[in-house]
Amino acid sequence: MNFNFSKDQIILRKSAREFIKKEIPASLVRELLVDEKGYSPKVWEKMAELGWLGIAIDEEFGGIGADFMDLAILFEELGRGAVPSPFFSTVLLGGFLLQNHASEELKNRYLPKIVEGKSIITAAISDEKGFYGKNHVGITAKNSNGSYLLSGSVLFVSHANVSDMIICAAKMDSNNTGITLFAVDRKAKGLTATPLKTIFGNYIDYSIALDNVMVSPEMIIGEECKGWDYIEKIWPLIITAQSCECVGGMQKVMDMTRDYLNGRIQFGKPLSALQIVQHMSVDMFTKVETSKLTAHSAAWSISEGLDSENEAAIAKSWCAEAYKDVTKIAHQVTGAIGFTEEYDLHLYTKSAKKLELLFGDGAYQRKVVADKLGL
Amino acid sequence: MNFNFSKDQIILRKSAREFIKKEIPASLVRELLVDEKGYSPKVWEKMAELGWLGIAIDEEFGGIGADFMDLAILFEELGRGAVPSPFFSTVLLGGFLLQNHASEELKNRYLPKIVEGKSIITAAISDEKGFYGKNHVGITAKNSNGSYLLSGSVLFVSHANVSDMIICAAKMDSNNTGITLFAVDRKAKGLTATPLKTIFGNYIDYSIALDNVMVSPEMIIGEECKGWDYIEKIWPLIITAQSCECVGGMQKVMDMTRDYLNGRIQFGKPLSALQIVQHMSVDMFTKVETSKLTAHSAAWSISEGLDSENEAAIAKSWCAEAYKDVTKIAHQVTGAIGFTEEYDLHLYTKSAKKLELLFGDGAYQRKVVADKLGL
Amino acid sequence: MDLRLTEAQSKLQKEIRDFLESIKKTGEYPFTNDSLQLVFSPEFSQRLAEKGWIGIAWPKEFGGQGAGYLERCIILEELLKSGAPVGYHYLADRQVGPGIIHFGSDFLKDEFLQKMLNAQVSFCLLFSEPNAGSDLAACETTAVEEGDYFIINGQKTWTSHGHSADYGWGLMRTSFDSGTPRHNAFSEILINMKTPGIIIRPVINMVGLHSFNEVFFDNVKIHKKYLIGEKGNGFRQIMTNLVYERATIDRLIQNYSTKEALFEYVKNTEKNGVPLSKDPLIRDGLARLEVEFQVGRKYIYYVTTLLDDGKIPDYEAAIGKNFCTLFEAKLSDLATNIMGLHGLIMPESPEVLFKGIVAESYLMSPSYTLQGGSVEILKNIISKRGLKLASK
Amino acid sequence: MDLRLTEAQSKLQKEIRDFLESIKKTGEYPFTNDSLQLVFSPEFSQRLAEKGWIGIAWPKEFGGQGAGYLERCIILEELLKSGAPVGYHYLADRQVGPGIIHFGSDFLKDEFLQKMLNAQVSFCLLFSEPNAGSDLAACETTAVEEGDYFIINGQKTWTSHGHSADYGWGLMRTSFDSGTPRHNAFSEILINMKTPGIIIRPVINMVGLHSFNEVFFDNVKIHKKYLIGEKGNGFRQIMTNLVYERATIDRLIQNYSTKEALFEYVKNTEKNGVPLSKDPLIRDGLARLEVEFQVGRKYIYYVTTLLDDGKIPDYEAAIGKNFCTLFEAKLSDLATNIMGLHGLIMPESPEVLFKGIVAESYLMSPSYTLQGGSVEILKNIISKRGLKLASK
């Protein structure tokens, strides 16, 4: 048993960290949070050059076909930078759903462009209230003369406005329980996307509404009525990637807080000399150290092709709450400066809350864990 | 608005505290926890002399007829002494159920003897699993030739073996939802009581089993099938009395812990000089101070005859968890000595856990609070 | 013990409720959906002044109503619940007025008290500095005596409403003799914020709002008659002052609308055909909040009665403030979690529920447990003054 | 990264499981339903010794198997899960053996190592004193040199199994020169517990069990060859020793049966016709426990791999120990609450469920977060060595 990363993985992490530090400093993150695109096309291009966008895509489509652990490392470093980008929706949601299940035609249409940084993909799988689950799909598909008419709405869709295609999960009108995934052109008639002002950005997440959007059958991803199975299959990947983002974010918060505490003089001593500050910091540190192992284990499990549903649920449940708690303690020991816009901490506080709630909070994940325990 | 006790109440508290300090020191508590009676008849007699046993009983039966606040003060002081005694079952459960609802004959039969310390009463209202509620009554009553045959079992019955009479809540065989209260003679044929070894004593609580115990109709307390209403009516009194016991206990724990911390030298200074110890102690103190107000408010509300269901549920939910938490922190700052039999802290640790679970823990009480919120 | 309001108090409570209901309807004043931001509205404050509801707890000889802190608490609870714009008179009523009554000269009393009661002057606090946050005795802004004047130089920070208030209540170093103990080196001075040499720079908080400021002093000349109390006594005066700051119900009630929103959400939102309010996990979480809220409210009312008994509830106010701010932090966290993705949506966004107060409250929450003395600073105080733990 | 066990490790795991299952069935050895009490059974320990499962992680040159700490962890996890009576060899295997291998003379190695591997000698720890709990450097028990001997006087306390162990591993003051720094004033000495002058007084714990002792030394004469390592180096040696104590999985697994009992209870107990395991509030609570258990287990395995990499995981072991003991405390608290009145019933009582381990575990729980370094002491260590926070 060993918990060590390979040399290649260490190099990947190091170069990713350097890249993000240089190309996406906190000042750029601040801009992107109010930028109408919600990401930096220039950086996106560079990510494509580095091979990041194709890291999990098969070589036949121009990708690298690396294992999930490499992707997990990138998510961790993106989390460390609190980077707003369509990486998650394109590479994880789009990439895996297409690669795992789509027809060759659809794969050829989208995957090479994803790899080249020329196509942004997103997915709409929840409902209009923002609930997740088989019974909470906000779009309905009606069969009409061999095509499908999609109607309904979904609350949170990442980067909908800059995406070329939105993978829409839709209940089949004819079949109450069947869910089908449709690749819907962003510019399709009847589809509107409205930017949401959220705690983490003004143009990152959108609500979308579909009003009789016509989609042809060849745009179905995989088989009809199997869409939710496909989503369940990548669910561990989704929440493990989030867990890794959390780990990266909380490590950065730990680092900046430690530096602050060692440097800030109050009562004639550094803040870090106060025992209560030390113990609060140790609580943070404990959460960081345990989260690292937990997220990495889940990523490893996925990489190895093992059944990872429980591991991933444990990881998300633990890491997301840990990240949030770490930001709370950081605020408490940092004091007023940490509450200002100019200090970077709040970027992480906001990112932590968003990561916690997207794709289910701790309580949501613990339902899975309880099921697995046979409760 | 004022939160101050009256002069009389202050005097009552002072004398109760002195009495318990003198007559029921921790050494006696230790004995009573393994004593086969589970209480001290000598002290019981003195309590009767002081008028405690009749404090809430009307003057026509020889009692004092004081208001609930006076009784609450006694419970607080009994909690401060962690005193094992049948006071709760006799004075609160027996006293109020009889006085509020029983026939004049039953009142005359039991109340004067309670006041004089010549009769110990207890009640069996839960089921064989220890659940509480209208649907969780462990005894069933069958009508048989004008009498009733009671069968079933109840997990926790305080001081059953030294009681003269046990108030048994029983489902009526003929009517699935009706609960009737029967005054059952302890010596009745078919009734057995088995001492339970619990965390707080070896002969304090009993499980009882009834096997066709014959009870005559005049032993019904109040009206048939109204028994659960009667219990619900005194429920706020039950859990408020418990809350007051919790308050007394946690204050004592706070006091002994403060003294210990100020006196114990480690690392060349008193333990209390460590900031982390100070902050943990403040957490205890905050729980004690808020619990006091909360329990006293509920007791005041009952004294004034106001609807107190919600106040009492809030008090029990808050005070019982607070008491437990206070004992936990006390153990943590006191260290190894606090884990020994010879140090008094564990008497409170055990009492706290018992008070928490008897008549419903915090989660149980919060269901009432949620109902009251219209959730 | 008597936990009822008196008839007069109940009448007052009803009166302020009715008043707020009717005045809110007019739409003339900037009521917010929440009261996180202490919005300035001199006009609204003047309406309260007409009613005698500013300075209600001040002694009659100084123009107050001579009523109790309990009456003040009743009024404040209703004001904050309703989201009324109380910012203009808030500090005057809470602590600047009482501070001047306690420590101020006749000149200061004449100059300011009636104006405060009429809502004709507003204040900000000039305490914290970049290197003196929790450790106020490290303040470096100096007030050097020069004839009848103090010449002030230095920098204050975290000054809420520094850009809109008329006067600042400042803590300045007035003794430079190294032999003077730190705690005797400070004085309190009232500073006209329009005085030449004062530069105010906005600080944007993490919610994106301008509520703080940095205030720079460059040879600012203030007449000595604006010294409050005794020279060198500033540190002790401020400690008393802080008790008044901490003893109020605002920390509990300023998020009242977040709590209401959460309860409304769970009652009206169905999941699989069942309202969320029927989920035992959610019920337990909300009942926990309610228990804490009621316990905290009881405690604050208790602290208020101590003030009315003429006591200085130093550690009690600290306990109450900690308890309530920790409650607020839990509330906004649980509310965002239960509302899920809706809990992420900010004010003025499409699809927003409850005007976004839940998300906003979450972003405000790190400040609750810091302002007016962090939880840790207050625990130090409670340990010493309340618990009397030996510290050496 | 590879989180699988090797084939050999999986085989070992299966082997010990099978062994324990079959030996438990015989009823020959005092398996307890829980492993809170480290029951002494030389016979059982000798059966393990025959298998080579004592000292499995010790180097081959000292008679061990030269296997890793991971192998030791696998064995220990199964032993503790099964409630096996491991007390007799436990300390020898965990820290006395490694201590002697690290620091001991050839004499001590020859005298003790093989006996430990054969389960022919048992140990207790003589560290704490009445006035030296968390602050070990305050120890006052003295070992004064007299020719070839140390003469020991003083008192130790909290000595688990002091009444049954053959030898005590003691920390004694050997330097009395006021110029010697406290940390250079101590030495470690192995003490035959049958030596004249040793008086052992039982201490009953709050569960009502005799597991601790006070040990008094009245001119106890011990030959210098029982000095471990260097004179004056005791304090540093003990710190390394404590890492081995803290780095193991026992803190997590010793309450395994409590967890199993709780899960069984909620699955098999119905309320209003529905198993408790279907109550969302209970499900969330138990899933929380499971998450913490799995996170803790992962962390302990990680710490074990650090030992196998030849590192001294000082702060990592402290993090793991804290995490696991805090988990245990939560477990027993939640278990008593969910089991309600049944959670109050002690072993050997009528009506008891699961032999009373849940109630007993609750009463044991205050000790978890204290023994082997309290949570607070360990946080001090983590702050300094792990986080590298400045402390001055």
Side-chain angles (χ1 to χ4, degrees), chain C residues 49-156:
Chain C
E50 285 162 22
K51 290 282 195 177
W53 290 337
I54 297 178
I56 192 170
W58 302 4
K60 282 190 179 168
E61 56 175 308
F62 300 112
Q65 302 289 310
Y69 281 90
L70 193 56
E71 281 74 9
R72 182 177 177 277
C73 187
I74 290 166
I75 290 174
L76 189 58
E77 186 169 7
E78 298 305 323
L79 284 168
L80 294 176
K81 267 191 189 175
S82 75
V86 298
Y88 187 78
H89 72 278
Y90 191 71
L91 284 179
D93 177 70
R94 184 176 76 183
Q95 64 199 104
V96 178
I100 288 180
I101 290 171
H102 260 83
F103 303 111
S105 63
D106 288 343
F107 164 75
L108 290 175
K109 285 174 185 155
D110 292 344
E111 179 81 7
F112 287 107
L113 292 181
Q114 196 53 51
K115 278 191 195 157
M116 291 186 207
L117 292 167
N118 295 346
Q120 289 168 329
V121 63
S122 64
F123 295 86
C124 62
L125 303 179
L126 300 165
F127 294 169
S128 300
E129 296 185 7
N131 293 315
S134 287
D135 180 14
L136 276 182
C139 280
E140 291 165 353
T141 301
T142 56
V144 176
E145 292 176 77
E146 200 179 287
D148 284 341
Y149 290 86
F150 288 112
I151 308 297
I152 299 175
N153 281 287
Q155 180 194 348
K156 293 288 176 182

Side-chain angles (χ1 to χ4, degrees), chain A residues 129 136 196-199 207 264 266-267 280 324 328 331-332 336-337 339-341 346 350 353 356-357, chain C residues 130-131 133-135 158 204-206 270 272 333 336-337 340 344 346 349-351 362-363 369 376:
Chain A
K129 293 177 189 166
H136 301 286
L196 300 176
K197 191 181 170 201
T198 78
I199 64 169
S207 71
R264 166 86 173 166
Q266 289 278 278
F267 304 104
M280 291 166 80
K324 175 178 72 180
K328 286 184 184 179
H331 276 292
Q332 192 62 24
I337 183 85
F339 186 61
T340 62
E341 217 289 329
H346 70 94
K350 293 167 179 175
K353 182 48 94 173
E356 183 187 16
L357 299 186
Chain C
N131 293 315
S134 287
D135 180 14
W158 317 127
I204 306 301
N205 69 21
M206 62 182 269
E270 294 198 344
N272 300 325
D333 187 27
T336 46
N337 278 34
L344 297 172
M346 291 290 285
S349 171
E351 307 284 350
Y362 184 75
L363 296 187
T369 47
E376 290 68 35

Side-chain angles (χ1 to χ4, degrees), chain B residues 264 267 332 339 350 353, chain D residues 130 135 204 206 333 337 369:
Chain B
R264 166 88 173 165
F267 303 105
Q332 191 62 24
F339 187 59
K350 293 167 179 175
K353 182 46 95 174
Chain D
D135 181 14
I204 307 302
M206 63 182 268
D333 188 28
N337 278 33
T369 47

Side-chain angles (χ1 to χ4, degrees), chain B residues 152 160-161 166 186 188-194 206-211 213:
Chain B
N161 230 22
I166 302 175
R186 165 66 191 94
K189 204 179 145 222
L191 191 161
T192 51
T194 311
Y206 291 76
S207 70
I208 65 165
L210 286 76
D211 180 17
V213 173

